[in-house]
Amino acid sequence: MSNKMWGGRFTSGPGAIMEEINASIDFDKALYRQDIAASKAHADMLAKQGIIGADDAKKIAHGLDTILSEIVAGKFSFKRALEDIHMNVEGRLGELIGDAAGRLHTARSRNDQVATDFRLWMRDTIDALDAALAGFQRALAQKALEHAGTVMPGLTHMQTAQPITFGHHLLAYVEMAARDRGRFADARKRLNESPLGAAALAGTSFNLDRDMTAKALGFDQPAANSLDAVSDRDFVMETLAAASIASVHLSRLAEEIVIWTSPLTGLVRLSDKFTTGSSIMPQKRNPDAAELVRAKTGRVIGALTGLLVVMKGLPLAYAKDMQEDKEGAMDALAALSLSLAAMTGMVGDLEPDTARMKKAAGDGYATATDLADWLVRSLKIPFRDAHHLTGRIVAKAAEAGLPLHRLPLEAMREIEPRIGEDVFSVLSVDKSVKSRVSFGGTAPKNVRMQAKKWLRKLEKDKS
C-alpha cells in the first residue's frame, strides 16, 4: 500500500530498509510545538486570503490544539510509517476533523515547513542557551567578587609566570561567555527570516500573505528567495559554530578544574555534589563532572563538522541529505545545555585553598618581572638590560635555594650595586598583584570593580 500523504504515483509502500533510513520521527518529533504553531499561522493566513474557508480554518486550529494537548499529555501515537512530525500531525488532524485537514497543506511543502519549524526550534534553543550562559556569567562574577584579592599563580606554557588573583582568572571566563552570547545573538538575528510560503522551491501561485505568517511566528520578515529559503542550513551551522566555541571555553575551564583539584596542586576543592569515587580505591575523589564537560565538547564540534560535510556538495534546492541537519544538532545543543548547567554548579561549588594558592603564586620566581620593572623605574635601566640583570639575580636565588624576596640585598648588589632596600617593596606576591592597576589588570580593586560591573549588567539584562 502506498503512503497516503504522497503516494499517488506509487502502487506499493517502501521496503523495510527504505522506511528505516527515511523516517525522521524519532528525532524530529521534538519540533512538535513549532510545527503546530507554524501550521496554525499558515491556516489563519489561508483563511484571511480566502484560499480556504473560515470554518475549515477554525476546525484546523481546534484540531491542532487538540494534537498539542495529546502530545504534551503523552497520549499521542507517533507512527514511523508517516516518516516525520509534519505527516504525523497532519495524519492525526485528518482523524480528528476529516476532509478539512487536507486543506492545511495548500500552498506549502514539507520543504518550507521543516525549514520554518527548525528555525523556530533553533531560535527557542538559542534563547535558552543565552539564559544559561548568563547564569554561568553570574556564578563566575559572584565568585570573582568573593575572591578579588585571593592570590594565585598565573601561568603561561603551564609554567609559573606572574601572580594574579583568582577573581581575575574567573572574570576571563565571564568575558569569553559574553562573546559566546554575542555569537548566538548574531546567529539568531540572521536566522530570523520565515521560509513559510516558499513551498517546495519555486514559491506558489496562490496569493499568500507571507508577511502575515512571518509576523505571527515572530520572524523579522519572510525569506526573499524561495530556493534559498528551503535549502539554507546556514542557521544550523552558524549556531553549531557558536556552540562549538562556547564548548571549547567550557572545556578549558573544566581542564583547569581537573588540574586544580588534583592532589598534585590542591588549589581548589569540589564537594560531593560534583565528584565521584572509585569502585576499588576508597580514597579517590574524581572530578567527573568537569571531565564530562570536557568530553562533551567533542560532540558539539563533531555535529558542526558533520553538517558542514553534509552541506558541502548539495546543489540547490532541497535534498533529503538535509534531514541529517537535526539529530546531530539537537544532541550537540542538549550537550552544551547540560555542560553549562554542570559548569555553573561547579563554579558555585568550588572553594579555593587560599593559603596553597598564595604559596604556589610565589613559587617559580613569579615576581621576577616586578623586579625588572623596579630596575627600569628606579634606576632608569633600559628594560632589555633590566631583564638580563633580573635573570642573573633569579639564577643566584635559585642557586641559593631562596625565593626572590628572601635573597639578601648584598647578593643582589653583587650583580647591580645600585639596588636599594626598597626593592623588597615589589617582591611579594601581594604587592605584585596590587601593582597591576592598568585597565584589565589583576589588581584586586580592578577585579572588584569589574565583578560588580558585570553583576549589575547581568541583573539589568534579566529584568
Side-chain angles (χ1 to χ4, degrees), residues 6 57 68 88 94 153 161 165 264 323 328 352-353 355 373 426-427 454:
W6 49 259
L68 179 61
N88 269 268
T165 64
L264 296 174
Q323 184 167 291
D353 185 329
D373 289 345
V426 301
L427 296 183
W454 270 113

Side-chain angles (χ1 to χ4, degrees), residues 140-149 167 447-449 451-452 455:
L140 288 164
Q142 186 59 54
K143 188 70 74 171
L145 185 59
E146 293 170 17
H147 292 283
V447 174
R448 290 187 190 94
M449 181 179 68
K452 288 176 181 178
L455 289 168

Side-chain angles (χ1 to χ4, degrees), residues 1-15 18 22 83 110:
M1 179 180 173
S2 64
N3 188 307
K4 68 179 182 178
M5 295 294 177
W6 49 259
R9 185 178 175 179
F10 295 76
T11 57
S12 65
M18 179 62 198
N22 195 45
E83 298 181 10
R110 278 192 296 175

Side-chain angles (χ1 to χ4, degrees), residues 83-97:
E83 298 181 10
D84 56 33
I85 185 62
H86 324 299
M87 286 187 168
N88 269 268
V89 169
E90 188 175 331
R92 177 59 177 150
L93 189 64
E95 294 172 356
L96 290 171
I97 67 172

Side-chain angles (χ1 to χ4, degrees), residues 233-253:
R233 292 300 182 270
D234 289 5
F235 67 96
V236 189
M237 293 185 286
E238 188 173 4
T239 301
L240 286 174
S244 295
I245 297 171
S247 292
V248 166
H249 291 157
L250 294 182
S251 185
R252 293 181 75 178
L253 180 55

Side-chain angles (χ1 to χ4, degrees), residues 12-34:
S12 65
I17 293 175
M18 179 62 198
E19 185 172 304
E20 181 67 23
I21 197 171
N22 195 45
S24 60
I25 188 60
D26 293 341
F27 52 86
D28 71 15
K29 63 186 177 184
L31 304 177
Y32 72 90
R33 287 189 184 276
Q34 291 79 17

Side-chain angles (χ1 to χ4, degrees), residues 431-443:
K431 287 174 180 175
S432 176
V433 295
K434 285 178 183 176
S435 73
R436 306 292 169 180
V437 294
S438 61
F439 180 75
T442 191

